[in-house]
């Protein structure tokens, strides 16, 4: 059973009605595709893919450059749509959606040929042997995406998938079908051949059908719960998968932090995208040495944030994107307050605005018995914990099932790197938050329950290819020494060889 906000879906007509969560006005409608629709699309993708894979990197890159040009020409229209569909400020749509995509398009269009170049080498022990590793498209790949960055997350994966020579089937979130369709429209306008990128709108049932279809690999970004369901389904048919899941990202503020930068970073990291970022600051640990001054400054800055509807008032923080998120955020804050936490600012829904608005909230006196410290809140809530020292901060930061990103704030970069090495997260940023998702060349991945596999960078690109290894002799020989017939002499010779190679350190001489 797949549930979502009742006002979004008209199940009877199998149609999504996308609404603006800030104003509750309708943004558009899109069909909920069935398993039969999905299977037809996959068949179309499979027949179109070989011709696409046969193009050179340069030829495929031309489509990316064209799509990038169109994106930059149509920035306002695209940002306006994103802003209306998820309730975020236009500046966030520009910074968090358009700019990163332009960067990813440019990077993978230029670099894919180099990043996927064949690797050839002579073997170290088997000196008469050479190997070549080459990288080939996986085939037809499925991308299932969330609603919080409805344009940049899926488009980044689409770009990598296409540049690697795959046909792509994209299932956008049921909360953001119009942004998903816009991605298809952009590539169509760039002249992409028919069937190479298909956008399959729908809900969880459409996503589940895609996972069960004849695709070759699935790339999922979303919640841990759905990620586990997808992993189970993929495992049943041994289909490879990449999972980019939730986070409970810790910010560690050391006693010697660059004070004002840390204050600004904490407030932006906690409240940008209304806190609905997998890598937003979800927990903050501050050294007691600067705690009081730091918390006061964070609260002052948070109070200055303008919450509102884009286009109607100047705003820094938009609305939450759906009713489910508003419910989770409200529950987490109420649970924390009931268990002794104190809201220094914020703490409740804004009822003077029509949509799903919640006050930017700073909580203190929080502890690990509270949901806000254990579960992903994904909203405008910043719980702050005062710690004795860095060692305690690291211990507390690691007390989580999640491990996506973390940040360490100190003027001493060397010390920052030492702390970063001990924090259990895919990425730890020193004196910054979150932004590396927008940098094409850096890998993005989670440890623990935050994910499996990588996106972005050459490591992410390589998730979209299948390796092929070919091995051959440099000089032809009638036989290999380890082939038949065996003898006592052969046994002694190999014993000696093992010592020469691996014990006496003579490997470099042969
Ligand atoms: P979600 O898991 O509810 O849905 C994600 C997508 O999965 C949607 O398109 C949905 O329709 C689809 N889906 C639902 N059930 C499915 C099923 N059984 N089979 C196949 N597909 C199915 O997540 P969400 O609420 O859209 O997104 C928020 C979550 O995403 C948060 O946990 C956030 O941290 C995470 N996220 C992670 C990253 C990252 O890079 N690690 C980035 C953004 C968001």
């Amino acid at each position: 059973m797949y549930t979502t906000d009742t006002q979004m879906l008209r199940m009877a007509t199998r149609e999504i009605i996308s609404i603006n969560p800030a104003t509750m006005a309708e943004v558009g409608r899109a069909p909920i595709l069935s398993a039969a629709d999905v299977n037809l699309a996959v068949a179309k993708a499979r027949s179109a893919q070989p011709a696409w894979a046969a193009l050179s990197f340069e030829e495929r890159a031309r489509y990316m450059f064209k799509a990038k040009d169109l994106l930059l020409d149509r920035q306002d229209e695209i940002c306006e749509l994103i802003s209306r569909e998820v309730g975020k400020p236009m500046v966030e749509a520009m910074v968090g959606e358009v700019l990163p995509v332009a960067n990813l398009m440019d990077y993978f269009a230029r670099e894919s040929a180099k990043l996927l170049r064949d690797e050839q080498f002579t073997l170290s022990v088997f000196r008469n042997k050479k190997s070549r590793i080459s990288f080939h498209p996986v085939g037809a790949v499925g991308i299932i995406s969330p609603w919080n960055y409805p344009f940049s997350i899926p488009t980044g994966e689409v770009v990598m998938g296409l540049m690697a020579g795959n046909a792509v089937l994209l299932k956008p979130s049921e909360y953001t079908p119009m942004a998903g369709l816009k991605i298809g429209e952009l590539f169509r306008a760039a002249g992409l051949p028919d069937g190479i990128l298909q956008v399959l709108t729908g809900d969880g049932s459409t996503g589940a059908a895609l996972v069960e279809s004849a695709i070759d690999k699935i790339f999922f970004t979303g919640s841990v719960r759905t990620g586990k369901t997808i992993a189970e389904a993929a495992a049943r048919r041994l289909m490879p998968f990449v999972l980019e899941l939730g986070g409970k990202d810790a910010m560690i503020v050391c006693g010697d932090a660059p004070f004002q930068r840390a204050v600004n970073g904490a407030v932006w990291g906690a409240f940008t995208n209304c806190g609905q970022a997998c890598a937003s600051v979800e927990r903050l640990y501050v050294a007691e040495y600067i705690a009081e001054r730091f918390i006061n400054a964070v609260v002052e800055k948070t109070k200055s944030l303008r919450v509102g509807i884009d286009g109607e008032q100047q705003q820094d923080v938009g609305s939450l994107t759906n009713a489910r998120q508003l419910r989770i955020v409200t529950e987490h804050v109420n649970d924390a307050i009931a268990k002794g936490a104190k809201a220094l600012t914020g703490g409740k829904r804004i009822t003077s605005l029509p949509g799903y608005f919640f006050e930017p909230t700073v909580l203190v006196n929080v502890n690990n018995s509270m949901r806000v410290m254990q579960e992903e809140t994904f909203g405008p809530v910043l719980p702050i914990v005062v710690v004795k020292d860095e060692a305690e901060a690291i211990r507390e930061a690691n007390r989580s099932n999640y491990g996506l990103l973390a940040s360490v704030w100190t003027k001493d970069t060397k010390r920052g790197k030492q702390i970063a090495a001990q924090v259990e997260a895919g990425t730890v940023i020193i004196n910054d938050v979150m932004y590396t998702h927008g940098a094409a060349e850096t890998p993005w991945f989670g440890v623990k329950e935050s994910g499996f596999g990588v996106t972005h960078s050459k490591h992410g690109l390589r998730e979209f290819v299948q390796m092929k290894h070919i091995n051959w002799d440099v000089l032809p020989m009638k036989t290999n020494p380890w082939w038949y017939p065996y003898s006592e002499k052969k046994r002694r010779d190999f014993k000696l060889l093992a010592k020469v190679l691996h014990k006496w350190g003579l490997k470099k001489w042969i």
Side-chain angles (χ1 to χ4, degrees):
M1 185 63 205
Y2 305 94
T3 56
T4 180
D5 294 5
T6 45
Q7 73 267 36
M8 282 191 51
L9 296 184
R10 283 206 324 217
M11 298 305 283
T13 54
R14 293 197 57 79
E15 185 180 47
I16 300 170
I17 303 176
S18 175
I19 54 134
N20 180 333
T23 62
M24 309 309 279
E26 183 176 326
V27 178
R29 296 180 182 210
I32 298 175
L33 297 186
S34 67
D37 298 326
V38 169
N39 291 337
L40 274 176
V42 173
K44 186 173 175 183
R46 297 200 79 88
S47 66
Q49 189 266 336
W52 177 248
L55 297 181
S56 65
F57 283 107
E58 213 178 7
E59 286 166 318
R60 292 201 288 264
R62 264 189 232 131
Y63 293 96
M64 296 305 130
F65 288 130
K66 179 77 184 146
K68 187 187 72 175
D69 284 348
L70 289 169
L71 168 69
L72 296 176
D73 289 347
R74 292 166 59 178
Q75 279 192 66
D76 286 337
E77 167 209 331
I78 291 170
C79 289
E80 204 237 347
L81 172 68
I82 297 168
S83 172
R84 280 197 298 134
E85 199 162 39
V86 291
K88 69 174 77 179
M90 282 286 276
V91 174
E92 287 181 356
M94 294 270 174
V95 174
E97 310 265 8
V98 169
L99 271 173
V101 166
N103 178 237
L104 282 153
M105 284 175 161
D106 200 68
Y107 178 76
F108 287 106
R110 286 182 200 288
E111 299 295 322
S112 292
K114 195 167 86 197
L115 300 176
L116 297 178
R117 189 176 288 158
D118 291 1
E119 294 170 3
Q120 189 164 311
F121 50 93
T122 303
L123 277 62
S124 62
V125 172
F126 303 94
R127 299 301 288 235
N128 189 34
K129 303 276 190 188
K130 277 194 181 230
S131 272
R132 186 174 66 223
I133 297 172
S134 51
F135 303 96
H136 305 272
V138 172
V141 299
I143 294 172
I144 299 180
S145 55
W147 44 262
N148 61 332
Y149 289 92
F151 190 79
S152 60
I153 289 178
T155 310
E157 306 226 308
V158 165
V159 167
M160 288 184 287
L162 293 179
M163 279 310 300
N166 300 286
V168 175
L169 297 122
L170 165 63
K171 209 300 277 173
S173 167
E174 54 270 49
Y175 293 104
T176 52
M178 309 319 288
L181 288 168
K182 190 57 88 181
I183 298 168
E185 191 188 308
L186 193 69
F187 280 97
R188 234 184 352 268
L192 199 74
D194 196 32
I196 293 302
L197 170 63
Q198 295 173 78
V199 179
L200 311 175
T201 54
D203 59 4
S205 68
T206 313
L210 184 60
V211 177
E212 294 293 344
S213 75
I215 50 166
D216 299 296
K217 187 162 180 174
I218 192 85
F219 294 79
F220 171 77
T221 307
S223 64
V224 172
R225 199 180 59 158
T226 313
K228 286 181 179 173
T229 308
I230 287 176
E232 280 171 21
R236 276 196 292 277
R237 44 178 290 224
L238 286 183
M239 176 176 65
F241 54 83
V242 169
L243 304 176
E244 303 293 341
L245 308 178
K248 192 73 197 165
D249 295 2
M251 173 168 177
I252 295 176
V253 182
C254 301
D256 70 341
F259 188 82
Q260 197 52 50
R261 183 170 174 82
V263 170
N264 293 341
V267 174
W268 185 81
F271 302 119
T272 188
N273 222 36
C274 201
Q276 301 167 119
C278 53
S280 69
V281 175
E282 286 254 336
R283 300 174 286 157
L284 192 151
Y285 300 97
V286 57
E288 64 184 0
Y289 174 64
I290 57 161
E292 192 181 336
R293 199 159 68 93
F294 179 82
I295 292 170
N296 287 340
V298 164
V299 169
E300 276 323 297
K301 191 159 182 80
T302 303
K303 283 181 178 164
S304 74
L305 297 176
R306 296 154 304 178
V307 184
I309 299 169
D310 193 83
E312 291 185 20
Q313 54 251 113
Q314 276 293 323
Q315 63 168 169
D316 301 305
V317 181
S319 68
L320 289 157
T321 297
N322 53 58
R324 184 181 68 173
Q325 226 30 67
L326 178 65
R327 178 178 52 75
I328 294 171
V329 171
T330 309
E331 281 175 11
H332 282 201
V333 170
N334 289 349
D335 169 74
I337 288 172
K339 288 173 181 161
K342 186 170 171 208
L344 296 181
T345 182
K348 57 183 190 311
R349 181 178 186 177
I350 301 174
T351 46
S352 57
L353 290 165
Y356 305 127
F357 288 91
F358 199 92
E359 294 171 339
T361 300
V362 178
L363 295 176
V364 291
N365 300 345
V366 288
N367 61 52
N368 284 337
S369 74
M370 299 169 185
R371 291 179 67 189
V372 79
M373 293 300 289
Q374 295 292 326
E375 301 169 27
E376 188 179 36
T377 307
F378 222 54
V381 182
L382 177 60
I384 302 183
V385 180
V386 179
V387 289
K388 194 158 69 48
D389 54 20
E390 291 149 13
E392 186 183 345
I394 296 167
R395 243 189 348 265
E396 289 302 314
N398 288 344
R399 241 195 248 187
S400 171
N401 291 338
Y402 294 99
L404 189 57
L405 261 77
S407 62
V408 178
W409 300 72
T410 168
K411 286 187 195 128
D412 180 348
T413 307
K414 189 168 165 220
R415 182 83 194 108
K417 287 182 192 164
Q418 285 165 352
I419 296 169
Q422 297 171 69
V423 175
E424 295 162 2
T427 296
V428 184
I429 310 182
I430 297 165
N431 296 337
D432 214 324
V433 277
M434 203 189 313
Y435 85 97
T436 56
H437 197 273
E441 63 271 49
T442 58
W444 186 270
F445 61 102
V447 299
K448 300 184 180 174
E449 291 205 349
S450 287
F452 187 86
V454 188
T455 190
H456 297 178
S457 80
K458 74 170 183 202
H459 305 285
L461 183 66
R462 288 194 175 181
E463 296 279 11
F464 285 92
V465 290
Q466 176 68 53
M467 267 199 303
K468 177 89 183 184
H469 175 207
I470 298 179
N471 179 272
W472 66 94
D473 284 343
V474 179
L475 295 171
M477 294 203 303
K478 267 203 216 137
T479 186
N480 276 330
W482 59 91
W483 288 1
Y484 297 130
Y486 299 155
S487 66
E488 177 54 21
K489 178 173 178 318
K490 200 167 258 192
R491 188 189 70 78
R492 280 199 308 273
D493 287 351
F494 274 111
K495 185 173 168 191
L496 181 64
L497 182 68
K499 283 195 174 166
V500 168
L501 290 179
H502 302 297
K503 187 162 182 194
W504 297 337
L506 295 180
K507 195 172 155 189
K508 58 178 179 286
W509 300 111
I510 60 162

